[in-house]
Structure formats: structure tokens, C-alpha cells
Amino acid sequence: MAVAEVHSLGRIPRKRVDKFAERRTELAEAAFVTLAELGYARTSLREIAQNSAFTHGVLHYYFTDKVDLIICCVRLYKARCVTRYDRIIAEAGSYDSLCDGFLDALAATMRDEAQLHRLWYDLRAQALYEPGLRVDILDIDHSLEAMIWRVLDRFAEVTGVATPIPSALAYATFDGLFQQCLLQYLAGDDWAVTRMVANARLTLEALYRGETETRRGS
Amino acid sequence: MAVAEVHSLGRIPRKRVDKFAERRTELAEAAFVTLAELGYARTSLREIAQNSAFTHGVLHYYFTDKVDLIICCVRLYKARCVTRYDRIIAEAGSYDSLCDGFLDALAATMRDEAQLHRLWYDLRAQALYEPGLRVDILDIDHSLEAMIWRVLDRFAEVTGVATPIPSALAYATFDGLFQQCLLQYLAGDDWAVTRMVANARLTLEALYRGETETRRGS
Amino acid sequence: MAVAEVHSLGRIPRKRVDKFAERRTELAEAAFVTLAELGYARTSLREIAQNSAFTHGVLHYYFTDKVDLIICCVRLYKARCVTRYDRIIAEAGSYDSLCDGFLDALAATMRDEAQLHRLWYDLRAQALYEPGLRVDILDIDHSLEAMIWRVLDRFAEVTGVATPIPSALAYATFDGLFQQCLLQYLAGDDWAVTRMVANARLTLEALYRGETETRRGS
Amino acid sequence: MAVAEVHSLGRIPRKRVDKFAERRTELAEAAFVTLAELGYARTSLREIAQNSAFTHGVLHYYFTDKVDLIICCVRLYKARCVTRYDRIIAEAGSYDSLCDGFLDALAATMRDEAQLHRLWYDLRAQALYEPGLRVDILDIDHSLEAMIWRVLDRFAEVTGVATPIPSALAYATFDGLFQQCLLQYLAGDDWAVTRMVANARLTLEALYRGETETRRGS
DNA sequence: CATGAATGAGCCTTCATTCAT
DNA sequence: CATGAATGAAGGCTCATTCAT
């Protein structure tokens, strides 16, 4: 029996469940370090254990298997990312300040948390192969879409222009840009972030300013 | 010495080099089958050998290691995908026929070659971790961007409207949509392709028709 | 000090010893379920705990180790099996009714308690390797031999024919037949029980009727 | 791919198949040592490798899994045991010499190959739980039954008395006796072999001499 | 040129056991 | 008394890689 399954029985006292969940989070947090560095396929539970204060036995005690652990990690990611822009949204009062705030945050995220997002794209790719990951990955994907939509909603509020595209398309665009930038950035392209920001700004202006004049270029 | 390195020495007679390269292509072709089915991490050289007419030893003879083989496979992918829409472009004479042709082809690609593109996204994710893959992946990425741009250029030609966004942004958008759809499609969402097509059409109309009226929805 | 050893010290008040032994029996009873289903080698203490109302810790509290627990289980088995045919013996008054009663019981045992006897043969095989099990297994074996002998003694009484073979040989024969049948029965051979009964009847008739005519067959 | 599966493809040249099978036998032979000493459940592939000249990798190279290896071992056992009494049968010309030859061989087998037979009973017990083992075990069981029957057929020939019981019953009896003796013998009971021989002789006499006078005893 | 036998590091997982509470 | 968290040895198995032929 894996104790990891116990917490779903319902007969276990509240306190224990909490403690159990806490420990899982703690372990997932520790696993994150290695996972972000090596990626899904190259990370072994032993490696995770070695890079943390835990034994590899304890990982198996708290998680039924590797996928269970990874999913738990991914949920952490979700909780972490999903509110990233909310403060900016709340504070900014004009299109310009909102735009600057959002784009600055975008750039900062790329620069400060490239590893974390690299893991996210890795896991989303693995979900294409592992059905067991799909539900959770799709769930997070929707949360991220909602997060982007909250930003755009604020733009709409501030500008008085209803966002003219569905949230899925908006998310696809910003996600596409971010992912494109990430690879270039990791490959050492110093201008990648700048280009991403420029393209994001372009997108926002097309949406809320109706400006569409540009020249071709990447 | 690994014979695999021979072909870059330049002192080997032309004929031998060609034969060597041919053999590599042949092997890579065979590897593709397994790779597309299982993905990067889950594919072993043994598995590739078993699913083909070749022995497991010959793979190591022609490729220095696994990454070498995968890169060779990826180059095949490039050759295969990069001209996909060119015929449509050439044939279509009006905005509507171009639009329909492109969007039909997009949907067909999703439905017929989901596996192949799943592999592409997997490999691009691996490139985030394996520097050895990056150059080739980025190269293909640029080819794909160029491919999309050729499509949009034709739209510009047909409509007389200069494409108002840079190619990188255009690629990011369509790539984002395609990738979003792929996961949903593989997860069994029957409407995913329809939604992707709708969003792609929306994007095209916004670019070349200036129409922006929509309601929110996914 | 393991509390498990306490009950043999003799200085502990009677009441506590009883309670301790009771608890062991209770636990062994619970372990039986899992043990019969999975067999000796495939049963872990965790599994036993999970399939019962007890925690995995308490098993180690009451038993010094796995073998200690299994031996306790085996003792339960003994108590359960050893009187199986006694009622039939007492009730039957003629050779025919005795024969029918015994053979019916034999067949019923095979059909209803195959799992339990499968465990018995498993444990007896383990005793070939684990000296710690031998004493108890041999003890049960003798009890079973005595059980068979009581049956045959009743045959002798009813027919007036002294049983012409030693009890060890009699036990070996019936045990051999039973074991042979068990494997075939579990392998899905529907006629196995019928054949066993036929061979057992043949044996009884040879012993008490002097009939020996048969044709070869299995 | 496990090369172990290759030999069933049919396209592999005769010579290679033979070599492959030879190597399997060689490895199985080596595995036997450890297996006989420790029994099925306690034997690990690593242990087998350590007690032999092979690496544990080579075991996995030639056998698809543990069961495959064990079955191969068991087949060796079969080949080894099944002709054990054939020479005796051929040589003995009278009931007495046949009887002495057979019983001597029985006793010698017990004394010289106790370990080997201990493994047999262990595996047969495991077959009660592992369906994957059943076919092979039943196959061997039938071979052993046939072996016993050949012995009895010779008795019939020599004495002119048709064997009055089916081969299954005969096998069950001798097998029961042998197994009974084996446990006692391994438990240090010095008279166990003597008793087994006495009971076997008794059985033979009952079958071919019609003598049935005995006193109770074990 | 090509083969496939052999290696051994490494992976995920299971488990009996220990021990602080 | 009883719990269950934690440990770490061990197990079956996979795999890239090496190398003799």
C-alpha cells in the first residue's frame, strides 16, 4: 500500500490530511529545482532526492508514482503563475501604464523564470504522449488562458474597447510569442526579449488602438 | 574512430560520402516511424531497430549517438513540412479561395498528421534542454515562419493589403493556435479543429479585411 | 525489546498474555485473507494491513517478523482443517454412505476452498527452504495424516477389514491426489475433480473391497 | 527489443538460433545453482548473476523476464529427471531386481538431489498462483507421470500382472510419498528415506503381488 | 561494412523494518 | 499501546554504448 493513496479515503482525520498535503507540497517544491533544470524525461526520482534533503524512499511514500509527483509540481506552477499579472492589472489606471506594466512583467518573467516555463512547455509536450498528464495540463492551460483574459479585460475596461478576439485566440497568440522567445532566449539571442515585447505591444495596439501600420520584419 | 565522422573529413571520395549520407537518410526515415509514435524520451534505439529492417548495431555505426540520429530525423521533417501550403498558394486566385484552401489544409494537417506535429512540439521542447538540438530546431522554426509568411504574402497580393504584422508575430499566432488545438484534439475534443479554424479565419480577416467584431468565447 | 516477545516470559499476568494472544489471532485471521489470495511470496505486510482494519505498524508490534506472522496464520489453518471429515465419519453407517460422504466432502473442499489449500501447499513448499517454518508445517502435516487415518479407521470399522497400509502411505496417496487435482482444477480443467474422486474411490475399494480391476487411463 | 524474442521470428539462420538456444541452456544451467539453493521467491536475477560467471545484463539479454528464465530452468529439470529410471527398467529382468533397482534409485535421488526436487515442488506451488507457469509445470508433471508409468509397465511385463490402477493415481501416490519424505528428510529425519522406500515397496507389492498384510504405523 | 553479444549504469518501484511521537 | 513517517536495500527491467568477429 502506498500511503499516498490514503488521503482519498475520507476517513482520515482532517489534521492528518492537511499535514500530508503539506508534505507533498514541500516535496514537490524540492522536486521543482531538479525538474526545472533537467526537464521531465531526464529527471529521475533519485536525482530529485539527491538534490534535496529527502531520501528517494520518501518520494515514493508521498507519491504513488513519478507522474503523480510531476502533476503535483505542475499544480504548484499553476498556483504560482496564474496570479502573476493580477497586481499590475489592479494598479494600472491608463492604457499606457497597463501596457508598460504588462510588457515589463512579461519580459521579467522571461528573464527570471525561463527555467520554470521551459519545464511547462516540456510537460505540455509530454501531455501529447501521456494521457495521464492531459487533464491536469489542460486545466492549467485554461487557467493561463483565463489569466491572459483578465489582463485583456482590464485593457478593455481602461480603453473602452471591447476585446475583439476570443480568449483562446488571445492566449494562443501570447503563448506563441512567449514560447518563440523562450527558445531564442535560451539559445543566447539577446534581442529575443525585446522582439517579443515589441510584438506583444503590436498585438495590444491592434486590439485596442486599431493601429495596424507596420513594416515586415521579425 | 567512429566511421560516422568520416563524412565531414572532406578527403573521402565524393561517391562514398553520398552513399553514407543516403544510408543515414534511409535510417532516419525508418526511425521516424517509431519516433512519431512514442516521442523523443520514450524512443530507444533498440525500439527503432526492431520497428525497421535494420539491426541495432548499424544505427550506432551511422550515428554517433541518439541526438545525432534525432537531428537527422528532424531535418527530414523540415523537408517534408516546409512546402506544405505552397501549392495552395499558387492555385488560389481570390481571398476566399485562398482562405478556404489554407484553412482546409490547416484542418487536414491536424487530422492527418497529428503524430508528426506532436513529435515536432516534443523535439522543440527538448531543444530547450539540449543545446545540441537548438541550431537545427531554430533553423526549422525559421523555415516554418517563412512558410507562413509566404502564405500571408499571397494574401497581401490577392487583397492588396500589406500584411500589417511582422512574420514572427504571424508565425507565433498560427503556431500557438495549432499547438493549442493539437493537445485538445489528442485529448478527444471533437470541436478543437473547428475552433482552431474559426480563430485562424478571424485572424486572417482582421489582417486583410479590417473586421474586428466578435463576441468573447473560446 | 520487542513487545512481541513478552508473552513467552511467563512473568506477565495471565490476563495480559491472553489479550496479547487474542490480538495475534485476530491479526492472523485478517492476514489470512490476503495470504490465501496472493500466496506467501507475493504477500507484503503492507498489503495485509491495507486489506484489514489494522495499520501496518501494529503488525510489527505483535509479530517479530513476517515468518512469525505466517506461522501464526498456519496454526489457524490447522485448527480449521483438521476436523473437516469428523462429522461425516460419525454419521455414516455403511461403506457406501461413508464412501459417498467422504468423496463428496473431498470434492466440495476442492471446489469451495481451493484458495486455502493452495496456500497450504505453498507454505509447505516454503518450509522446504525456511527452517523456521518446518516444525509447524510438519506438525500440521501429522494432524492431517491423523485426520485421514481417522477416516480410514472408520472404514475399517464399517467393513471389518483392517486398513492394510500405514497411515503415512494413506496420507501420501490422498494428499498426492488432492494436490494433483488442485493444479489441474485451477488451470481450468473441469474434469479434474471428477477424476480425483474416481481415483480416491478406486483407492478405497482396493483397500476395503479387494477389487483391483481397472483399465489404464488418467 | 529483447533479443530473446528474436529466435521466434523464423527468419534467423538456423545456426544462430542454435547458438542462442545453447546460450540460454548454459545460462539456465548456471541459474539452477542459485535457484535450487534459494527457491523461486528468494532468487533474484542479480543473485543468479553473482553466483555465476555472467552479468545480470546478459540474463535479460537472453530471457524476456524472470519467468522465462525459470521456465527454461524447469525444462532442464524435466529433461534431466524424466529418463532417470529408464536404464534400470531396461536392465532389470525380475520383479525383485526391478524392485530393488527402482527403490534404490528413489532413495538415491532423495539423498543426492534433494535440492533439485525441492525446487520442483516450490515451482509447482508457485504455478498455483502464477498462470504463466502452469502450462509448463503441467507439461512436466505429465512427463513425470509418464516416467512412473513406464516403470510400472515394466513391472507389469515382468510379473505378468496388468497394473491395476490408472497412471494418474500411481503418480499421485509415488509423488505424495516422495514429497512427504523430502520435507522430513530436509528437517533432519534420518529414517525418512527408509520409510519412504518401505511404503513404496508396499505399494508395489500390493499392485503386483496382491499382498496386503501390514500393521498400522507410519 | 555490418552484426549482435555483452556490459553495467541507471530507472521506477516494493518492502521489511525502525523509531519518534 | 498504537501509529505512521521515514529509511534504504533490493528487485526486475531498460538502454546507450562498446567491441570482437
Side-chain angles (χ1 to χ4, degrees):
Chain A
M1 176 203 66
V3 176
E5 289 157 17
V6 159
H7 73 295
S8 60
L9 284 180
R11 284 246 314 244
I12 277 68
R14 186 71 183 173
K15 216 168 149 190
R16 290 224 20 233
V17 174
D18 287 354
K19 228 180 146 189
F20 191 82
E22 259 174 48
R23 202 91 173 96
R24 273 171 67 96
T25 306
E26 208 176 335
L27 286 164
E29 202 91 48
F32 224 109
V33 181
T34 305
L35 212 42
E37 190 189 342
L38 300 180
Y40 179 80
R42 285 158 292 278
T43 301
S44 74
L45 295 190
R46 275 193 161 82
E47 188 85 19
I48 290 174
Q50 221 136 27
N51 292 352
S52 73
F54 307 100
T55 66
H56 86 106
V58 85
L59 287 173
H60 287 288
Y61 185 75
Y62 282 96
F63 299 95
T64 52
D65 60 13
K66 196 181 168 182
V67 169
D68 188 26
L69 168 58
I70 265 75
I71 286 176
C72 192
C73 285
V74 165
R75 287 235 164 87
L76 274 185
Y77 169 89
K78 170 183 169 175
R80 225 181 262 187
C81 292
V82 137
T83 59
R84 169 149 306 137
Y85 305 110
D86 289 357
R87 204 171 48 83
I88 292 156
I89 293 169
E91 291 176 356
S94 68
Y95 172 84
D96 284 337
S97 68
L98 193 53
C99 208
D100 289 349
F102 176 57
L103 297 178
D104 282 358
L106 210 59
T109 302
M110 179 64 69
R111 278 196 262 259
D112 301 341
E113 299 184 307
Q115 268 201 349
L116 188 135
H117 292 276
R118 180 222 256 180
L119 177 59
W120 162 246
Y121 289 118
D122 185 12
L123 291 174
R124 199 167 67 179
Q126 296 324 301
L128 297 173
Y129 292 93
E130 297 224 19
L133 283 172
R134 278 178 200 159
V135 173
D136 288 275
I137 293 293
L138 280 170
D139 188 37
I140 297 181
D141 230 10
H142 288 137
S143 300
L144 295 171
E145 185 181 319
M147 175 190 78
I148 289 295
W149 190 253
R150 283 199 302 281
V151 175
L152 297 194
D153 234 17
R154 184 70 176 138
F155 269 98
E157 207 174 339
V158 165
T159 59
V161 179
T163 307
I165 57 170
S167 71
L169 174 52
Y171 175 51
T173 303
F174 285 104
D175 186 57
L177 279 173
F178 196 88
Q179 199 176 342
Q180 180 179 78
C181 177
L182 183 59
L183 179 54
Q184 295 167 357
Y185 177 73
L186 288 173
D189 183 339
D190 292 335
W191 291 94
V193 179
T194 307
R195 284 198 310 274
M196 173 187 66
V197 167
N199 281 324
R201 185 183 302 275
L202 215 56
T203 303
L204 292 171
E205 297 194 342
L207 291 176
Y208 302 102
R209 288 282 162 97
E211 299 182 6
T212 54
E213 284 308 306
T214 9
R215 278 190 304 281
R216 176 180 177 180
S218 71
Chain B
M1 177 204 65
V3 177
E5 290 157 13
V6 159
H7 74 297
S8 59
L9 287 178
R11 287 237 314 237
I12 275 66
R14 186 69 182 173
K15 221 167 148 190
R16 271 192 63 194
V17 173
D18 286 355
K19 221 179 150 194
F20 192 82
E22 258 174 49
R23 203 99 171 88
R24 276 171 65 96
T25 306
E26 211 177 336
L27 286 163
E29 200 90 48
F32 221 106
V33 182
T34 305
L35 210 44
E37 190 189 343
L38 300 178
Y40 179 80
R42 286 157 289 281
T43 300
S44 71
L45 294 191
R46 272 209 155 80
E47 195 81 18
I48 290 174
Q50 183 152 41
N51 292 352
S52 75
F54 306 100
T55 69
H56 143 259
V58 84
L59 285 172
H60 273 99
Y61 186 76
Y62 282 95
F63 299 96
T64 52
D65 62 12
K66 198 180 166 181
V67 170
D68 189 24
L69 168 58
I70 265 75
I71 287 176
C72 193
C73 285
V74 164
R75 290 221 169 97
L76 280 183
Y77 172 90
K78 173 181 170 177
R80 224 180 264 192
C81 290
V82 136
T83 59
R84 169 148 308 138
Y85 304 110
D86 289 357
R87 203 171 48 84
I88 292 155
I89 293 170
E91 292 174 356
S94 69
Y95 173 84
D96 283 338
S97 68
L98 192 53
C99 207
D100 289 349
F102 177 56
L103 296 179
D104 283 358
L106 210 59
T109 302
M110 178 64 68
R111 279 195 261 258
D112 301 341
E113 300 185 304
Q115 266 201 354
L116 188 127
H117 293 276
R118 184 220 259 181
L119 177 60
W120 163 247
Y121 290 118
D122 186 12
L123 290 175
R124 200 167 67 179
Q126 295 325 303
L128 298 171
Y129 292 93
E130 297 236 18
L133 284 172
R134 276 177 201 160
V135 172
D136 287 276
I137 294 291
L138 279 170
D139 188 35
I140 297 179
D141 232 9
H142 287 136
S143 300
L144 294 171
E145 186 182 317
M147 174 188 78
I148 290 293
W149 189 253
R150 283 199 301 280
V151 175
L152 297 193
D153 232 18
R154 182 73 176 135
F155 269 99
E157 205 175 338
V158 164
T159 59
V161 180
T163 307
I165 57 172
S167 71
L169 174 52
Y171 176 52
T173 303
F174 285 104
D175 186 56
L177 279 174
F178 196 87
Q179 199 176 344
Q180 180 179 77
C181 177
L182 184 58
L183 180 53
Q184 294 167 357
Y185 177 73
L186 289 173
D189 184 338
D190 292 334
W191 291 93
V193 179
T194 307
R195 284 199 309 275
M196 174 187 67
V197 168
N199 280 324
R201 185 184 300 276
L202 217 54
T203 302
L204 292 172
E205 297 193 343
L207 290 176
Y208 302 101
R209 289 283 163 97
E211 299 181 5
T212 54
E213 283 308 304
T214 9
R215 279 191 301 281
R216 177 183 177 178
S218 71
Chain C
M1 175 204 66
V3 179
E5 290 158 13
V6 160
H7 74 296
S8 60
L9 287 179
R11 287 237 316 236
I12 276 65
R14 186 71 181 175
K15 221 166 149 186
R16 271 191 65 193
V17 174
D18 286 355
K19 221 179 150 192
F20 191 82
E22 259 174 48
R23 204 99 171 87
R24 277 171 63 96
T25 305
E26 212 176 335
L27 286 164
E29 199 91 48
F32 221 106
V33 180
T34 305
L35 209 45
E37 191 189 342
L38 301 178
Y40 179 80
R42 286 155 292 277
T43 300
S44 71
L45 295 190
R46 272 207 155 82
E47 193 83 16
I48 289 174
Q50 185 155 37
N51 291 351
S52 74
F54 306 100
T55 69
H56 142 259
V58 83
L59 285 172
H60 273 100
Y61 186 76
Y62 282 97
F63 299 96
T64 53
D65 63 11
K66 200 181 165 182
V67 170
D68 188 24
L69 168 58
I70 265 75
I71 287 176
C72 194
C73 284
V74 164
R75 290 223 169 95
L76 279 182
Y77 171 91
K78 173 182 169 176
R80 224 179 263 190
C81 290
V82 136
T83 59
R84 170 148 305 138
Y85 304 110
D86 288 358
R87 203 170 48 83
I88 290 156
I89 292 168
E91 291 174 358
S94 69
Y95 173 84
D96 283 337
S97 69
L98 192 52
C99 206
D100 289 347
F102 176 57
L103 296 179
D104 283 357
L106 209 59
T109 301
M110 178 64 68
R111 277 195 262 257
D112 301 341
E113 300 185 305
Q115 266 202 353
L116 188 127
H117 292 278
R118 182 221 257 180
L119 177 59
W120 162 245
Y121 289 117
D122 186 13
L123 291 174
R124 199 167 66 180
Q126 297 321 303
L128 297 172
Y129 292 93
E130 298 238 16
L133 283 172
R134 278 179 198 157
V135 172
D136 286 276
I137 293 293
L138 279 169
D139 187 34
I140 296 180
D141 232 8
H142 287 136
S143 300
L144 294 171
E145 185 181 319
M147 176 189 78
I148 290 295
W149 189 253
R150 283 199 300 282
V151 175
L152 297 193
D153 233 17
R154 183 71 177 136
F155 269 98
E157 205 174 338
V158 164
T159 60
V161 179
T163 307
I165 57 172
S167 71
L169 174 52
Y171 176 51
T173 302
F174 285 104
D175 186 57
L177 279 172
F178 196 87
Q179 199 176 342
Q180 179 180 78
C181 176
L182 184 59
L183 180 53
Q184 294 166 356
Y185 177 72
L186 289 173
D189 183 338
D190 293 334
W191 291 92
V193 179
T194 307
R195 284 199 308 274
M196 174 188 66
V197 168
N199 281 324
R201 185 183 300 276
L202 216 54
T203 303
L204 292 171
E205 297 193 343
L207 290 175
Y208 301 103
R209 288 283 163 97
E211 299 183 6
T212 54
E213 283 308 305
T214 6
R215 278 190 303 279
R216 179 181 175 180
S218 70
Chain D
M1 175 203 68
V3 176
E5 289 157 15
V6 159
H7 73 297
S8 61
L9 285 179
R11 284 243 316 242
I12 277 71
R14 186 73 183 172
K15 216 167 150 190
R16 289 224 22 234
V17 174
D18 287 354
K19 229 178 145 189
F20 192 82
E22 258 173 50
R23 201 93 173 95
R24 274 172 67 97
T25 305
E26 207 176 336
L27 286 163
E29 201 91 48
F32 224 109
V33 180
T34 306
L35 211 43
E37 189 189 344
L38 301 179
Y40 179 80
R42 285 159 293 277
T43 300
S44 73
L45 295 191
R46 275 189 162 84
E47 187 85 19
I48 290 174
Q50 221 136 26
N51 292 352
S52 72
F54 307 101
T55 66
H56 85 103
V58 85
L59 288 172
H60 287 289
Y61 185 75
Y62 282 95
F63 299 95
T64 52
D65 61 12
K66 196 182 169 182
V67 169
D68 188 26
L69 168 58
I70 266 76
I71 286 176
C72 192
C73 284
V74 163
R75 288 233 165 88
L76 275 187
Y77 169 89
K78 171 183 169 176
R80 225 181 262 186
C81 291
V82 137
T83 59
R84 170 149 306 138
Y85 304 111
D86 288 357
R87 205 173 46 84
I88 292 155
I89 291 169
E91 291 175 357
S94 67
Y95 172 85
D96 284 336
S97 67
L98 193 52
C99 207
D100 289 347
F102 176 57
L103 296 179
D104 283 357
L106 210 60
T109 302
M110 178 64 68
R111 278 195 263 257
D112 301 341
E113 300 185 306
Q115 270 201 348
L116 187 136
H117 292 276
R118 184 220 263 184
L119 177 59
W120 162 246
Y121 290 118
D122 186 11
L123 291 173
R124 200 168 66 179
Q126 296 323 302
L128 298 172
Y129 292 93
E130 298 224 19
L133 283 172
R134 277 178 201 160
V135 172
D136 287 277
I137 294 292
L138 280 170
D139 188 36
I140 297 180
D141 231 9
H142 287 136
S143 300
L144 295 171
E145 186 181 318
M147 173 190 79
I148 290 293
W149 189 253
R150 282 199 301 280
V151 175
L152 297 194
D153 233 19
R154 183 73 176 133
F155 269 99
E157 207 176 336
V158 165
T159 59
V161 179
T163 307
I165 57 171
S167 70
L169 174 52
Y171 176 51
T173 302
F174 285 105
D175 186 58
L177 279 172
F178 196 88
Q179 200 176 344
Q180 181 180 75
C181 176
L182 183 59
L183 179 54
Q184 294 167 356
Y185 177 72
L186 289 173
D189 183 339
D190 292 334
W191 291 94
V193 179
T194 307
R195 284 199 308 276
M196 174 187 66
V197 168
N199 281 323
R201 184 183 301 276
L202 215 54
T203 302
L204 292 172
E205 296 193 343
L207 290 175
Y208 301 101
R209 288 285 163 96
E211 299 183 7
T212 54
E213 282 310 303
T214 9
R215 276 189 305 282
R216 177 182 176 178
S218 70

